[in-house]
Amino acid sequence: MRSLDDFAGQKLAALDAAQLRRAPVVTARDGIWAERDGRRLLSFSCNDYLNLSQHPAVVAAAAAAAVRYGAGAGSARLVTGNHPLYEELERRLAALKGTEAACVFGSGYLANLGIIPALAGPDDLILLDELSHACIHAGAKLSGAAVHSYRHGDAAHAEELLLVHRAGKARALIATDGVFSMDGDLAPLAALSQLGRRFDAWLLTDDAHGLGVIGGGRGSSFSNGAAVDVPLQMGTLSKAVGGYGGYLCASRAVIDLMRTRARSFIYSTGLPPPVIAAAIAALDVIEGEPAYAALPLRKAKLFARALNLPEAQSAIVPVIVGNTEAALKASEFLQNEGFLVVAIRPPTVPAGTARLRFAFTAQHPDAEVERLAAAVRRHMLRR
Ligand SMILES: Cc1ncc(COP(=O)(O)O)c(C=O)c1O
């Protein structure tokens, strides 16, 4: 239809003009390498922090499950899609996170779209860290609750907002990334947990980038040697676990509520059996090889130290460049040096904070991490 194509064309032209148009690039991955346009690049843009997506035991488990149970689940979990592998994965996730139960969703994004509206509605209050992942913002919006953002990492601001808005609301939820996806820093979970207790506000952490990497592999609520009481520990199986799917670890009552009220759980097909089998095998590595799971953070620290950046707190290290054009140029420079480091632009990050986001994995050789840091330094000095 003419008006439809005109609409799309005008939107795209505006995005082109601001250098904000995006398009997926065909990328074949082979361990830490990525192949694009016939070039082999060392990738620092992959969230496969433990390289488990290609681990032989993980791949073998997926292949065996495909042979035994087939390639797909066939329906939603409440119909016939609840194949036998789910039980073990949910038991393992709950044990790892120290909760009574767990519930696996189709993806991390779907998890937050289901969890948040199942817990909060128009009578309720939701506080969000302003830099929380898009799916937390989307879940909060979908809930119809009153939503307020507090300044990034600022528990004192969250307290101010609770003092103003908590009274008169039936229930309250505080939601935050545990490890921030574009900044790599950690949420002030101990302070937020205290606020949660004081104001009867339920704390939800999105541990997409924490599981398998920090807290001895158990994630952000276990980092710095202390377990913080987080009643809603959400996350994804798509980063360090190397596969796909989202989860919530919580009390038995909350998990049972999700299974009967979270719409993205009820109205979406179950994950394919090979995906669940792969996640179970990946958890075997995470739990069984803590020294290996510690490597991505060690590499990130090495890189940050080489560039005199603040100490890395996770496997993610950002180098803020500022405007979009400069970020694209920096990415291109690194590509010419043999590295794949994708530029991150608004709206993924706030305007004026376009950046290079470096993601470190267990198998990146130290020498390459140092060569990367030297290349970044060279580029920054040239600007
Ligand atoms: C913090 C955070 N939460 C949720 C997600 C979404 O998870 P998934 O890719 O499993 O949908 C991501 C990344 O994709 C993320 O970075």
Side-chain angles (χ1 to χ4, degrees):
M1 264 173 88
R2 181 76 192 272
S3 62
L4 176 59
D5 289 344
D6 284 351
F7 166 78
Q10 281 160 14
K11 282 267 181 193
L12 289 170
L15 289 167
D16 274 335
Q19 292 192 301
L20 293 176
R21 180 162 173 173
R22 303 160 185 221
V25 180
V26 173
T27 308
R29 292 176 52 238
D30 171 16
I32 54 177
W33 297 93
E35 205 175 303
R36 284 187 156 188
D37 300 327
R39 280 199 70 186
R40 203 167 148 78
L41 301 165
L42 188 56
S43 173
F44 287 90
S45 278
C46 194
N47 299 320
D48 191 6
Y49 302 118
L50 297 174
N51 314 96
L52 294 182
S53 73
Q54 304 191 351
H55 188 289
V58 175
V59 174
V67 171
R68 169 82 177 76
Y69 296 109
S75 78
R77 291 186 59 187
L78 290 177
V79 187
T80 58
N82 199 40
H83 49 80
L85 297 170
Y86 268 115
E87 233 174 48
E88 183 179 352
L89 178 58
E90 291 178 338
R91 191 175 46 73
R92 293 282 298 273
L93 285 167
L96 185 65
K97 292 288 191 173
T99 60
E100 284 176 1
C103 174
V104 169
F105 291 78
S107 72
Y109 201 106
L110 282 173
N112 276 331
L113 288 191
I115 296 163
I116 298 175
L119 295 173
D123 297 337
D124 305 324
L125 169 71
I126 299 181
L127 289 195
L128 306 179
D129 186 291
E130 62 184 347
L131 295 189
S132 294
H133 190 263
C135 61
I136 294 186
H137 286 272
K141 194 164 181 193
L142 200 57
S143 74
V147 180
H148 297 273
S149 292
Y150 58 88
R151 286 188 293 274
H152 175 54
D154 189 343
H157 189 213
E159 179 184 12
E160 276 171 40
L161 292 173
L162 283 163
L163 285 167
V164 174
H165 300 289
R166 177 68 181 94
K169 295 293 180 192
R171 290 159 289 268
L173 187 73
I174 304 172
T176 177
D177 290 18
V179 174
F180 286 87
S181 56
M182 296 299 137
D183 294 81
D185 56 342
L186 308 188
L189 291 188
L192 293 174
S193 168
Q194 265 183 15
L195 287 179
R197 277 196 296 276
R198 186 172 139 208
F199 288 92
D200 189 22
W202 309 324
L203 179 59
L204 178 145
T205 53
D206 178 334
D207 212 22
H209 300 275
L211 180 69
V213 176
I214 59 172
R218 300 179 76 190
S220 56
S221 11
F222 300 90
S223 63
N224 301 322
V228 178
D229 179 22
V230 179
L232 300 160
Q233 299 182 63
M234 171 271 162
T236 174
L237 305 170
S238 65
K239 317 289 188 209
V241 178
Y244 200 60
Y247 65 84
L248 175 69
C249 294
S251 67
R252 165 65 55 200
V254 168
I255 294 305
D256 286 349
L257 178 68
M258 292 303 142
R259 291 183 171 147
T260 188
R261 296 304 290 168
R263 293 172 70 83
S264 58
F265 177 89
I266 301 168
Y267 297 110
S268 189
T269 298
L271 282 166
V275 171
I276 302 288
I280 295 168
L283 290 182
D284 288 342
V285 178
I286 290 172
E287 290 176 299
E289 300 181 37
Y292 182 71
L295 288 175
L297 178 58
R298 195 174 71 62
K299 311 274 173 187
K301 285 186 174 174
L302 176 66
F303 176 77
R305 221 175 295 128
L307 285 174
N308 287 327
L309 296 169
E311 180 169 69
Q313 295 178 282
S314 71
I316 302 161
V317 179
V319 172
I320 314 276
V321 179
N323 69 52
T324 296
E325 193 186 347
L328 290 169
K329 278 220 174 93
S331 171
E332 198 183 308
F333 175 85
L334 291 179
Q335 181 152 334
N336 290 333
E337 299 282 320
F339 301 117
L340 177 62
V341 185
V342 175
I344 309 287
R345 300 171 265 170
T348 305
V349 291
T353 71
R355 68 197 63 189
L356 296 176
R357 172 190 183 273
F358 297 88
F360 294 89
T361 76
Q363 288 177 16
H364 282 129
D366 284 0
E368 289 297 328
V369 173
E370 280 159 1
R371 193 169 77 81
L372 174 69
V376 173
R377 198 178 313 109
R378 260 199 325 279
H379 179 71
M380 292 302 177
L381 291 177
R382 268 182 7 159
R383 287 172 69 210

